[in-house]
Amino acid sequence: MVTISSPLAPTEERNPRTYDIDRLPTMRILELINSEDATVAGAVAAVLPELAEAVDRTVDALRSGHRLHYFGAGTSGRMAVLDATELRPTYGVEPGHVVAHLAGGTTALTDAVEAAEDDTAAGASAAEPLTGGDIAFGVTASGGTPFVGGALRAARNRGARTLLLSANPGATLAPLADIHIAVDTGPEVVTGSTRMKAGTAQKLVLNALSTAVMIRLGRTYSNLMTDMVASNAKLRVRQVRMLVQATGVPAETCQAALTAADGEAKVALLTLLTRADVDQARKALRAAGGVVHRALRAVG
């Protein structure tokens, strides 16, 4: 027997603005979806203080050698997988430092494994690798996904810090989180279809959190991606272009500096901006924790 819980999560309520959406022409349907989507950025803006605190805790954890673990199911879990996967090529994050755990495993990336979200024990098992100082970040639109609850409870028992991202200010899992980022996106255009506004909000929050963390860890110089992994032709061109943009030096000179630095863009950047040679640049960056601005002060 299915029991309908009360009160409903905001994402499960009916949206009065879209009652007649199934009788509207295509253009009007799209206008309604677009107008609802336009409210998401404002909902995210309202939780920036909590997001900032989450960023600072994550920076402290990664800087201390600990790890960030995401836990989610369905759309929420896929958003987490996407965020974790993109950090290595974009910012050179070492394998295992940011990990996403999706209910149902890799199969659930392309095929819905809906029952997996109800498996509390699987969430707890997924959190077994965590240790004290790690960050466990649950992502769930409803704020009550059992898989995420199992993971957060187990992570907390292991001494990890816990974060929760939901679209429900009254999330039942909130007591398990040190910080609850509750983005109140309200009812969806289609009731309960959390891949829409709630999913968009999750993408915005995860993008903002991981990008801010990478910036704070020194993985950029100004707004340029210094730690990008140049694994294909397009990215190798972008790497040289980044050096040109940062220094104003011709592309040929930047390419030569990059070659001399064995492809290490930060080292090449430092040699181009100062009189340091490759060895001096490497030592300065190591002493500065990889932060270019600090290394520049050291080598003048």
Side-chain angles (χ1 to χ4, degrees):
M1 178 184 241
V2 175
T3 302
I4 298 177
S5 60
S6 182
L8 288 175
T11 54
E12 298 297 325
E13 296 174 357
R14 289 188 69 191
N15 190 329
R17 294 177 292 279
T18 60
Y19 281 166
D20 61 350
I21 197 167
D22 60 331
R23 296 187 295 278
L24 298 177
T26 300
M27 189 63 186
R28 183 60 186 139
I29 291 172
L30 295 176
E31 287 172 348
L32 278 174
I33 293 172
N34 182 251
S35 66
E36 292 295 313
D37 286 344
T39 68
V40 175
V44 172
V47 299
L48 290 183
E50 292 85 354
L51 182 53
E53 189 176 354
V55 167
D56 288 342
R57 291 207 184 184
T58 304
V59 168
D60 289 344
L62 293 178
R63 196 174 271 154
S64 301
H66 298 294
R67 298 161 296 172
L68 167 62
H69 288 260
Y70 291 128
F71 299 91
T75 295
S76 302
R78 294 183 193 104
M79 290 292 182
V81 170
L82 181 64
D83 194 70
T85 302
E86 291 181 341
L87 291 183
R88 176 156 176 74
T90 307
Y91 295 107
V93 173
E94 297 79 3
H97 282 224
V98 180
V99 183
H101 305 269
L102 175 62
T106 55
T107 299
L109 281 171
T110 55
D111 296 300
V113 187
E114 299 296 350
E117 73 173 61
D118 295 331
D119 196 336
T120 303
S125 177
E128 285 182 1
L130 275 73
T131 60
D134 287 344
I135 299 285
F137 194 168
V139 187
T140 160
S142 68
T145 304
F147 174 85
V148 174
L152 292 181
R153 191 173 290 106
R156 177 170 276 185
N157 289 340
R158 291 174 173 276
R161 298 283 190 173
T162 55
L163 310 176
L164 177 67
L165 168 59
S166 83
N168 184 2
T172 58
L173 296 183
L176 294 176
D178 299 325
I179 303 168
H180 180 201
I181 305 166
V183 189
D184 191 0
T185 50
E188 297 287 3
V189 168
V190 175
T191 307
S193 182
T194 53
R195 72 188 186 91
M196 300 184 77
K197 290 193 297 182
T200 299
Q202 290 169 347
K203 183 71 165 73
L204 291 177
V205 169
L206 292 172
N207 271 357
L209 178 131
S210 58
T211 301
V213 167
M214 293 299 111
I215 292 169
R216 289 282 316 281
L217 289 175
R219 302 290 175 121
T220 67
Y221 172 69
S222 181
N223 60 355
L224 300 170
M225 295 185 290
T226 53
D227 287 48
M228 174 185 63
V229 178
S231 55
N232 60 38
K234 178 188 76 172
L235 296 178
R236 286 189 287 274
V237 170
R238 182 181 292 169
Q239 197 174 45
V240 174
R241 185 185 302 119
M242 179 274 294
L243 292 172
V244 172
Q245 291 170 325
T247 65
V249 171
E252 295 78 9
T253 306
C254 290
Q255 180 62 70
L258 192 59
T259 300
D262 296 324
E264 296 179 54
K266 273 184 179 175
V267 173
L269 177 60
L270 211 60
T271 64
L272 290 166
L273 291 174
T274 69
R275 295 181 179 180
D277 61 27
V278 168
D279 288 339
Q280 291 170 329
R282 281 201 182 101
K283 289 177 183 176
L285 282 165
R286 196 176 304 117
V291 179
V292 175
H293 284 294
R294 293 178 190 163
L296 281 171
R297 288 197 294 269
V299 298

